[in-house]
Amino acid sequence: LTSVASAGSYCASKAGVVALSETLRLELAPYKIGVSVVCPSFFRTNLAESLGASSAGFKDKLEHLLSQSSLTAEDVAECIYRAVARRQYLVLPHPTGQRAYRLKRFLPNWIYLKMMEKGSARRERKAEELPLAAVDLWLKQTLPHLSGTPVVTQYSGGASNWTYRLRYANDD
């Protein structure tokens, strides 16, 4: 329910699960069938190994989050069991996840985003993670006057680790 920097595809898949759960909840309500959507924060599992993350930055962040958790898989399972027995829709096992959800839901978006930015570790990505050849090709197709090989500068202090400047011999 909250976003994690460097984890776009992971967050998108989780958002899809929540949307599907909301839909199923509405569709199954006339039949008195309950739906619970479980949104745990990270807890100690082998998730980092099983994902085969393509981004080294995301994998490092994921391993850090998993190792910091105070909850085990058994703790989360017990929380889920109790919530389903109560026919609870939204299950947030971690107190920090509950707090983050409330902040996201009730704070103005710009304040919430500022808090998330401050909480994110600012790590520069390795240069090879920028698909430079693909970006260069796209830019040259979009802006045919560009020529040469771009000089790349990465800015780590912005709102995103994906802030780059590409400078060509004949344009910036």
Side-chain angles (χ1 to χ4, degrees):
L1 295 177
T2 58
S3 300
V4 179
S6 304
S9 58
Y10 177 82
C11 292
S13 68
K14 299 308 168 203
V17 169
V18 172
L20 176 62
S21 300
E22 289 173 352
T23 302
L24 289 172
R25 183 180 188 205
L26 293 170
E27 291 176 354
L28 298 173
Y31 306 102
K32 308 261 188 270
I33 298 172
V35 173
S36 296
V37 61
V38 181
C39 301
S41 298
F42 296 97
F43 57 96
R44 287 171 275 155
T45 65
N46 66 345
L47 181 63
E49 295 88 40
S50 66
L51 277 181
S54 60
S55 166
F58 175 59
K59 188 170 183 176
D60 292 345
K61 184 177 284 188
L62 181 58
E63 287 174 356
H64 174 74
L65 291 169
L66 293 172
S67 70
Q68 297 298 308
S69 177
S70 60
L71 295 183
T72 65
E74 291 78 17
D75 297 330
V76 173
E78 179 61 31
C79 180
I80 294 167
Y81 179 80
R82 289 191 313 268
V84 170
R86 291 189 309 265
R87 299 181 63 83
Q88 180 180 335
Y89 168 67
L90 182 60
V91 183
L92 300 166
H94 292 76
T96 54
Q98 295 166 12
R99 191 169 37 257
Y101 173 69
R102 281 195 224 74
L103 289 172
K104 181 178 182 178
R105 183 159 183 212
F106 297 114
L107 283 177
N109 192 288
W110 69 272
I111 294 174
Y112 172 76
L113 290 175
K114 283 282 186 198
M115 290 174 62
M116 292 301 286
E117 287 172 11
K118 285 184 180 178
S120 294
R122 299 258 189 259
R123 286 188 305 238
E124 289 193 27
R125 298 182 193 276
K126 296 181 178 90
E128 65 268 17
E129 290 189 42
L130 173 67
L132 184 56
V135 173
D136 182 43
L137 177 64
W138 180 82
L139 283 170
K140 287 177 178 172
Q141 289 172 345
T142 307
L143 305 167
H145 70 280
L146 294 177
S147 64
T149 303
V151 174
V152 180
T153 306
Q154 180 183 18
Y155 299 94
S156 61
S160 166
N161 282 340
W162 288 93
T163 305
Y164 294 95
R165 175 183 181 192
L166 276 67
R167 187 175 4 176
Y168 288 83
N170 64 337
D171 206 342
D172 214 3

